[in-house]
Amino acid sequence: MLPRAFYRRPTEVVARELLGKILRHGNCAGRIVETEAYLGSSDLAAHASRGLTPRTRVIFGPPGHAYVYLVYGTYHCLNLVAEPDGTPGCVLIRALEPLEGIAEMRQRRRAAGLRDIASGPGKLTQAMGITRAQNGVDVTRGSLTVIRDRAPARFEIEATPRIGIRHSVERLLRFLVKGNPFVSGAGRLG
DNA sequence: CAATAGATCATCT
DNA sequence: GATGATCTATTGC
């Protein structure tokens, strides 16, 4: 598992370095191929920019924990908390390349194609069985965790604007594995 | 293939 | 009471 020190760094660095790592939950695992960085008060698109509230307290807490919330009343989004304790910052996991537990993920998703299983933040939480029950859990131990690839492949990182936000649209805080077919729909263009 | 509508609820004002 | 870090189905070229 990645140690806490991995997460205790600038959010943008953690977002880049999570690419190529493997997210595991129980029997299911996938390679992270797309992330987005959400910073502190300077980043109007980030939940934490509004300050410390009951909801955002996890983002202000110690690094290496999961921040899970419900979007649009329907889907969950998984973030990993970065920065030292007391400093806000988190990384949204946006897409996975399915590796293990594929049958189980496909069943939860009711999706036929491999490319539709986890190519989006709401899709991957549904595939992996991640809900608000995982909000605040420590990902440096336990069943929800991130590990290194045993034989990491070389790849290029592409930085683009983030998806689906209304503020700070111009900042290049979305990162993806260039050319990977499992990134979310909007990223495949270009 | 591109654009759009609707589902649906926790959070904050 | 409005809003949103989404997804799917459906419509229209």
Side-chain angles (χ1 to χ4, degrees):
Chain A
M1 310 184 174
L2 298 180
R4 198 168 314 283
F6 176 93
Y7 302 97
R8 194 187 296 110
R9 293 186 291 170
T11 308
E12 196 174 340
V13 172
V14 176
R16 284 176 170 274
E17 300 226 352
L18 278 171
L19 292 177
K21 303 297 187 294
I22 293 170
L23 179 72
R24 172 173 287 287
H25 186 219
N27 297 324
C28 300
R31 179 177 293 109
I32 298 170
V33 297
E34 181 180 344
T35 62
E36 281 179 1
Y38 285 91
L39 315 179
S41 55
S42 69
D43 181 7
L44 273 294
H47 291 166
S49 70
R50 300 292 180 182
L52 182 59
T53 69
R55 181 202 205 184
T56 58
R57 100 185 160 280
V58 177
I59 309 174
F60 284 80
H65 289 250
Y67 165 54
V68 184
Y69 70 96
L70 188 64
V71 247
Y72 298 108
T74 312
Y75 293 91
H76 298 275
C77 287
L78 169 67
N79 299 253
L80 302 179
V81 176
E83 306 278 351
D85 191 1
T87 303
C90 61
V91 177
L92 172 67
I93 309 300
R94 282 196 61 90
L96 300 177
E97 175 179 341
L99 295 177
E100 292 177 39
I102 292 175
E104 190 178 334
M105 291 193 276
R106 209 192 295 268
Q107 199 159 23
R108 277 195 286 250
R109 282 276 303 140
R110 297 209 278 139
L114 196 61
R115 244 130 291 160
D116 282 331
I117 289 179
S119 55
K123 294 181 187 177
L124 74 89
T125 52
Q126 187 176 41
M128 304 275 289
I130 295 169
T131 68
R132 265 191 358 279
Q134 277 74 46
N135 188 39
V137 303
D138 187 348
V139 298
T140 67
R141 58 189 72 250
S143 66
L144 177 63
T145 190
V146 184
I147 59 180
R148 294 181 193 284
D149 194 339
R150 287 180 180 281
R154 185 178 286 283
F155 57 86
E156 280 184 54
I157 296 176
E158 188 173 359
T160 80
R162 291 171 292 182
I163 305 288
I165 56 172
R166 304 170 62 99
H167 300 290
S168 303
V169 173
E170 73 288 351
R171 306 186 70 167
L172 301 182
L173 292 175
R174 172 174 176 250
F175 306 101
L176 53 96
V177 173
K178 192 172 182 178
N180 189 287
F182 296 94
V183 301
S184 68
R188 278 174 227 157
L189 316 173

